[in-house]
C-alpha cells in the first residue's frame, strides 16, 4: 500500500502544523503506521499503541515521580546484572531503535528480537532497523532463536541461547504477560515498561516502569551514566529498597487523583 505521506508531498511533518497541540502524538502515530506498511510493526501493534496513548493521557504524558523511582531501580539492577538482555519487538524498534542501541552499548547488553507475531520477514526487518540505528549484532533472528522458554506456548517462547535464555535480567516493553511470568519462573529479573499499571506484565515484572518507552529509554541511559561510578553495595541497596507493588499503587493513585482534578476543573 502506498503511503499518502510520501516525500513528494513533503511527508507527514508538513501535514501536521508546527503549532498543532497534538503534533508529537500524531507524528508518533505516523511513524508506527509507516512501520506497519513497511512490515516491521503488526496491525495489532497499532491497537496496542492506541491503548498506550489512552493511559499516557491519564499520566499527563510526562514521566512522573513513581516512574523515576522505577527508572532508578532499573538502572541500578542493569548495572549489577551479569548478563542483561534487551528484548525488542516491532513497536519498540519503530519507536526507539536509536536509543535502544545506545542503551545496549552503555550496559553491554545484547539486543534480541522477540516477537509475539513472529515470522522471518519481520525478524529481518527489525534487525535491519536496529543495525541502521547503529547495532553491531542482533540476536534472536532465524536459527539463532533456537532455544525455548519452558511452559510458554506463544512464538515469544523462541529465544537465543546466547541471549534471553541465559540472561539474568531482561528489559522489555509492550508485552503480553505470559512471557514475563515465564521468565520470572526461570529465576530471571524482568524490567517492563508499560503505560498500563494493571496489565499482567506490569503485575508480574520485577520492576515496572509506568511510562512511555519513548521517554523512558533516554532517562534510563542518563541514570545509568550517573550511577556508573557507585559501588555495588549502593546499587544493591537501591534495588532492594524498591517495592514494585507499592510503586504500581502510586501510579494508579496518581491517575485517579488526576481524573478527579480534571473532573473538578470542568
Ligand atoms: O511486535 P510483536 O509481534 O511482538 O507484537 C507486539 C504487540 C504490541 C502487538 C503485542 O505485544 C501486544 O499485543 O501487546 P498488548 O498485549 O496490546 O500490550 C501492549 C501494552 O503496552 C499495553 O499495556 C499498552 O498500554 C502498552 N503500551 C503501548 N504503547 C506503549 C506502551 N507502554 C509503554 N510505551 C508505549 N509507547
Amino acid at each position: 500500500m502506498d503511503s499518502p505521506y510520501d516525500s513528494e508531498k513533503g511527508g507527514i511533518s508538513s501535514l501536521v502544523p508546527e503549532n498543532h497541540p497534538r503534533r508529537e502524538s500524531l507524528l508518533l502515530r505516523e511513524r508506527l503506521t509507516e512501520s506497519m506498511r513497511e512490515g516491521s510493526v503488526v496491525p495489532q501493534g497499532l491497537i496496542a499503541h492506541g491503548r498506550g496513548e489512552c493511559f499516557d493521557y491519564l499520566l499527563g504524558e510526562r514521566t512522573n515521580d513513581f516512574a523515576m523511582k522505577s527508572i532508578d531501580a532499573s538502572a541500578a539492577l542493569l548495572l549489577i546484572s551479569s548478563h542483561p538482555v534487551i528484548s525488542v519487538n516491532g513497536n519498540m524498534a519503530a519507536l526507539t531503535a536509536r536509543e535502544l542501541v545506545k542503551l545496549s552499548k552503555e550496559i553491554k547488553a545484547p539486543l534480541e528480537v522477540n516477537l509475539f507475531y513472529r515470522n522471518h520477514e519481520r525478524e529481518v526487518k527489525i534487525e535491519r532497523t536496529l543495525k541502521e540505528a547503529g547495532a553491531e549484532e542482533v540476536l534472536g533472528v532465524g536459527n539463532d532463536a533456537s532455544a525455548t522458554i519452558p511452559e510458554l506456548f506463544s512464538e515469544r517462547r523462541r529465544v537465543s541461547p546466547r541471549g534471553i535464555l541465559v540472561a539474568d535480567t531482561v528489559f522489555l516493553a509492550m508485552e503480553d504477560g505470559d512471557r514475563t511470568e515465564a521468565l520470572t519462573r526461570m529465576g530471571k529479573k524482568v524490567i517492563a515498561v508499560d503505560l498500563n499499571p494493571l496489565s499482567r506484565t506490569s503485575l508480574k515484572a520485577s520492576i515496572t516502569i509506568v511510562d512511555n518507552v519513548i521517554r523512558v529509554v533516554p532517562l534510563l541511559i542518563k541514570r545509568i551514566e550517573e550511577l556508573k561510578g557507585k559501588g555495588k553495595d549502593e546499587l544493591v541497596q537501591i534495588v532492594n529498597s524498591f517495592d514494585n507493588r507499592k510503586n504500581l499503587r502510586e501510579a494508579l493513585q496518581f491517575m485517579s487523583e488526576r481524573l478527579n482534578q480534571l473532573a473538578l476543573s470542568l
Side-chain angles (χ1 to χ4, degrees):
M1 198 198 310
D2 283 340
S3 162
Y5 307 115
D6 59 37
S7 50
E8 271 173 66
K9 294 179 191 128
I12 181 72
S13 354
S14 65
L15 287 178
V16 184
E18 293 284 341
N19 61 353
H20 191 293
R22 304 295 305 156
R23 183 177 160 83
E24 287 308 313
S25 169
L26 292 176
L27 293 179
L28 274 189
R29 279 186 181 183
E30 193 52 28
R31 200 190 301 172
L32 278 170
T33 315
E34 283 292 349
S35 302
M36 190 202 75
R37 289 193 189 97
E38 173 263 334
S40 56
V41 166
V42 282
Q44 295 86 337
L46 301 189
I47 298 172
H49 182 75
R51 181 156 30 154
E53 278 182 337
C54 178
F55 282 104
D56 208 5
Y57 203 76
L58 298 181
L59 290 170
E61 293 173 308
R62 58 188 285 270
T63 302
N64 294 289
D65 289 351
F66 50 83
M68 260 336 285
K69 276 190 228 162
S70 343
I71 290 173
D72 261 16
S74 303
L77 176 59
L78 288 168
L79 285 169
I80 56 174
S81 298
S82 39
H83 193 33
V85 173
I86 302 166
S87 178
V88 185
N89 69 7
N91 285 46
M92 280 172 90
L95 291 175
T96 182
R98 200 161 292 281
E99 292 76 13
L100 288 173
V101 171
K102 196 167 173 214
L103 175 65
S104 145
K105 290 185 177 166
E106 192 68 42
I107 49 169
K108 296 192 176 30
L111 293 154
E112 176 167 342
V113 176
N114 185 278
L115 303 174
F116 189 80
Y117 301 100
R118 189 186 269 274
N119 65 49
H120 188 57
E121 211 185 321
R122 287 191 71 214
E123 292 171 6
V124 171
K125 283 182 176 160
I126 293 165
E127 176 185 38
R128 196 195 312 136
T129 303
L130 292 169
K131 287 203 165 158
E132 282 169 4
E136 275 142 39
E137 193 185 19
V138 177
L139 304 180
V141 179
N143 292 335
D144 186 54
S146 59
T148 47
I149 302 176
E151 296 171 60
L152 184 64
F153 305 102
S154 73
E155 280 297 295
R156 283 209 194 277
R157 72 185 183 282
R158 304 215 281 124
V159 292
S160 167
R162 296 181 292 144
I164 291 172
L165 186 75
V166 290
D168 54 354
T169 301
V170 180
F171 176 87
L172 52 84
M174 282 166 276
E175 166 90 30
D176 65 298
D178 286 0
R179 185 171 65 127
T180 300
E181 206 169 358
L183 290 171
T184 50
R185 264 201 309 271
M186 288 170 85
K188 299 179 194 302
K189 300 274 185 210
V190 175
I191 299 170
V193 184
D194 196 326
L195 281 160
N196 175 5
L198 291 170
S199 74
R200 278 185 313 131
T201 304
S202 290
L203 299 173
K204 298 291 176 191
S206 324
I207 300 176
T208 308
I209 307 173
V210 182
D211 196 11
N212 197 317
V213 71
I214 282 218
R215 292 189 294 268
V216 169
V217 184
L219 288 170
L220 184 57
I221 295 168
K222 187 165 171 276
R223 201 64 192 116
I224 286 168
E225 282 165 356
E226 288 163 1
L227 288 179
K228 250 185 178 166
K230 306 278 179 202
K232 190 168 177 190
D233 288 352
E234 194 172 336
L235 297 174
V236 170
Q237 166 65 22
I238 295 173
V239 174
N240 288 345
S241 61
F242 180 80
D243 180 338
N244 205 43
R245 287 269 154 175
K246 184 166 170 269
N247 200 266
L248 289 172
R249 231 174 273 135
E250 279 178 37
L252 275 173
Q253 271 158 359
F254 175 88
M255 287 179 178
S256 146
E257 278 158 27
R258 193 173 131 79
L259 276 175
N260 267 331
Q261 278 166 13
L262 288 171
L264 290 173
S265 73
L266 293 181

